[in-house]
Amino acid sequence: MPFVIAIITLAGHIALLLWGTRMVQTGIQRAFGASLRSFLGRALNNRIKAFLAGMGVTAILQSSTATGLMASGFAAEGLVALVPALAVMLGANVGSTLIVQVLSFDMAAASPALILLGVLMFRRTQNPQVHDLGRVFIGLGFMLLALHQLLDVLTEYAGTPAFTAVLSAVSTMPLLSLLLAAALTWAAHSSVAVVLLVMSLSAQGLIDPYQAFALTLGANLGTAINPVVEGQAGRDLSAKRLPVGNLITRVVGVLAALALLSPIAGLMIHIENDGARLVANFHTAFNLVVAIVFMPLLTPFANALVRLMPQRIDESDPGQPRYLDPSAKETPVVALQAAAREVLRLVDVLEEMLSGTKSALTSTDRRSLSELRQKDNVLDRLNTAVKRYLTSIDPEEFSDSDRRRLDEILLFSTGLEHAGDVLDQNVLPHLAKRLRRGMTFSKEGQHELNGLLDRLSTNLRTAAALFMSQDERVARMLADEKIVFRRAERDGTNAHFKRLRDGDIETAESTSLHLDLLRDFKQINSHLVAATAYPVLERQGELLQSRITHQNTADQVQN
């Protein structure tokens, strides 16, 4: 029974350590995530700067996984070469050891002060950055408190037969220790927490340096497994180059260190006797040596990865998301970028539908209409995937700017899907009706419809640019496009009524169809404007109150 109580107590303190680590990571990401991502993107032009940037960003974020996801996003989008991206990961691995170095010293007395300061800052909700930094200080306090309590528990139960038997069973097989630590790190998603646990065991003398180093190697291996195994199934292999490359560097380093573990342990014991400092120093030294060895080899290594994992884009299922990486959801700023990139695929699909619609105005091929309907299914699937991806992220993980960007992505994605629905449910049936009745448009009518479809395509590209830039000048320009479509509908209506008054029944039927299409095109344009221009203009105070009321009413209807 005492052993069971000890295990539960130990697990509770480990859970507090994990929770404190997560609070530090999420607090930093909310406060500085976007700025750090921008800084990292600017530094990825050579391997040395990339290495230093990866080390610095990870030291702040306290998550090599988050840094890796940012670098993976840049590499997958073709914004950065693989060599500097790999250098970022080598730097990130070193950066993740710095917090372990700090916590290897006895700082338990600072825990209450850090928690108190964190709570006071956390209550400052009017200042989002101070509020988020409050989470960081609370998390640091929890980590120090958990480490102190872990040491007390380990001291109290160190001599019990059951505890000694468990440690003895593990210590007899270094490879088992390594695999156990790798599994724990993979499950906990935190090498920092696992290394701190090993550091606590070593500080109490419960494990010898040889076993402590084997467990530390396992933690280094486990943290590189997560991005590889949790990436989106079925996505292009080329997107896996960076996480796989990082895993290979870890595996090579771990195997080499494991083979030389006895002399390494003997050397480090002569330098440092304190068990906690031994683990921290070995953890840092291991990642530094791996970085020094691989930095000159990154170019041939990257070339080998490109050959082993060539880019293969599966065009057989265009409705399959390509950029919604599940592992990115732990880093909201990265997840939002991934979702925004996926939404741009909806833009491409809708542009193809508009182009197909223009051809269908004069075509007699019924199959082309069926193909256009299939593209609307692609829009629906991608929009649903984006919504599920974003709504599956814990809302508490978002900062205020993240929530605003989340709303922008969801609104634009939904607007694109609604525009596609208008094409599918209104425009295509009208074109099918034209084929059934053998109707043709006049030369002037054909020219006008083609011009409006071209204008819709241009407005779609403008909406995509506005979605990325949120520039109020582009928003005003796009909003003014409603005047063009409103004027076209008014002129078309007048022309249709004139033909009816003149008794021109034959052309009146085609002008009626022409008028229906004008209304549909106007509705498609309205969806684009409402999804992108109106939110920007409303924030700038330039949207008429009638538009705001209309938009709120539309949102209520959708909900």
Side-chain angles (χ1 to χ4, degrees), residues 171-187:
S171 62
T172 56
M173 301 180 63
L175 183 59
L176 178 61
S177 299
L178 188 150
L179 295 176
L180 176 62
L184 287 174
T185 305
W186 171 76

Side-chain angles (χ1 to χ4, degrees), residues 416-452:
L416 293 172
E417 193 231 352
H418 287 173
D421 287 341
V422 174
L423 279 169
D424 179 49
Q425 299 171 16
N426 296 353
V427 175
L428 297 185
H430 290 151
L431 296 179
K433 176 182 175 182
R434 182 191 71 81
L435 287 177
R436 287 195 306 271
R437 299 188 179 182
M439 291 186 292
T440 58
F441 298 108
S442 66
K443 184 178 296 186
E444 295 78 8
Q446 182 72 40
H447 178 73
E448 181 183 21
L449 293 175
N450 285 338
L452 289 177

Side-chain angles (χ1 to χ4, degrees), residues 298-317:
L298 287 183
T299 299
F301 183 45
N303 294 336
L305 288 172
V306 171
R307 288 194 298 269
L308 289 172
M309 289 177 285
Q311 186 173 14
R312 295 190 183 96
I313 300 177
D314 183 12
E315 299 291 349
S316 61
D317 186 8

Side-chain angles (χ1 to χ4, degrees), residues 86-396:
L86 289 168
V88 164
M89 292 310 304
L90 293 175
N93 296 334
V94 175
S96 65
T97 71
L98 299 183
I99 187 65
V100 176
Q101 286 286 346
V102 172
L103 296 179
S104 65
F105 298 98
D106 186 7
M107 302 173 60
S111 173
L114 287 172
I115 295 175
L116 176 61
L117 177 62
V119 170
L120 293 176
M121 295 175 67
F122 189 77
R123 291 172 64 87
R124 297 287 300 273
T125 55
Q126 68 273 19
N127 189 325
Q129 197 166 61
V130 173
H131 176 80
D132 294 332
L133 288 176
R135 292 176 60 91
V136 176
F137 285 105
I138 294 173
L140 285 172
F142 283 169
M143 291 175 70
L144 292 174
L145 179 62
L147 286 173
H148 178 68
Q149 293 175 335
L150 272 174
L151 291 175
D152 289 344
V153 172
L154 293 173
T155 302
E156 181 179 354
Y157 291 98
T160 60
F163 203 81
T164 304
V166 171
L167 291 176
S168 298
V170 177
S171 62
T172 56
M173 301 180 63
L175 183 59
L176 178 61
S177 299
L178 188 150
L179 295 176
L180 176 62
L184 287 174
T185 305
W186 171 76
H189 286 68
S190 175
S191 62
V192 172
V194 175
V195 173
L196 290 175
L197 175 60
V198 174
M199 193 172 67
S200 300
L201 293 170
S202 180
Q204 294 300 308
L206 299 176
I207 55 177
D208 57 43
Y210 185 89
Q211 185 184 1
F213 294 167
L215 290 168
T216 304
L217 289 175
N220 279 276
L221 179 61
T223 193
I225 295 174
N226 287 317
V228 177
V229 300
E230 295 184 5
Q232 186 176 347
R235 67 182 299 178
D236 182 15
L237 274 179
S238 63
K240 294 283 191 178
R241 291 170 185 163
L242 183 59
V244 169
N246 181 52
L247 178 60
I248 291 174
T249 62
R250 291 295 184 101
V251 170
V252 172
V254 165
L255 291 177
L258 192 61
L260 301 172
L261 205 52
S262 292
I264 291 174
L267 176 63
M268 298 200 71
I269 289 173
H270 285 297
I271 300 174
E272 178 66 62
N273 291 324
D274 182 79
R277 295 291 306 144
L278 265 175
V279 173
N281 290 341
F282 174 77
H283 185 40
T284 301
F286 168 77
N287 285 284
L288 274 174
V289 170
V290 170
I292 291 171
V293 170
F294 273 94
M295 280 292 282
L297 306 175
L298 287 183
T299 299
F301 183 45
N303 294 336
L305 288 172
V306 171
R307 288 194 298 269
L308 289 172
M309 289 177 285
Q311 186 173 14
R312 295 190 183 96
I313 300 177
D314 183 12
E315 299 291 349
S316 61
D317 186 8
Q320 180 69 32
R322 297 178 184 173
Y323 304 101
L324 305 181
D325 191 341
S327 60
K329 290 191 287 187
E330 294 187 6
T331 311
V333 65
V334 180
L336 291 173
Q337 292 292 334
R341 180 66 184 89
E342 195 69 53
V343 169
L344 293 180
R345 291 187 62 209
L346 276 79
V347 174
D348 295 337
V349 175
L350 184 57
E351 188 167 12
E352 291 174 3
M353 292 182 71
L354 291 173
S355 177
T357 300
K358 183 178 178 181
S359 300
L361 291 176
T362 55
S363 173
T364 57
D365 185 4
R366 297 179 184 273
R367 288 180 300 178
S368 63
L369 299 181
S370 299
E371 292 173 358
L372 289 176
R373 287 196 171 91
Q374 291 301 317
K375 291 185 183 298
D376 180 64
N377 294 335
V378 172
L379 280 179
D380 293 340
R381 290 174 59 193
L382 291 177
N383 178 55
T384 300
V386 170
K387 287 181 178 178
R388 287 177 177 172
Y389 180 76
L390 292 177
T391 54
S392 67
I393 303 174
D394 184 0
E396 294 297 323

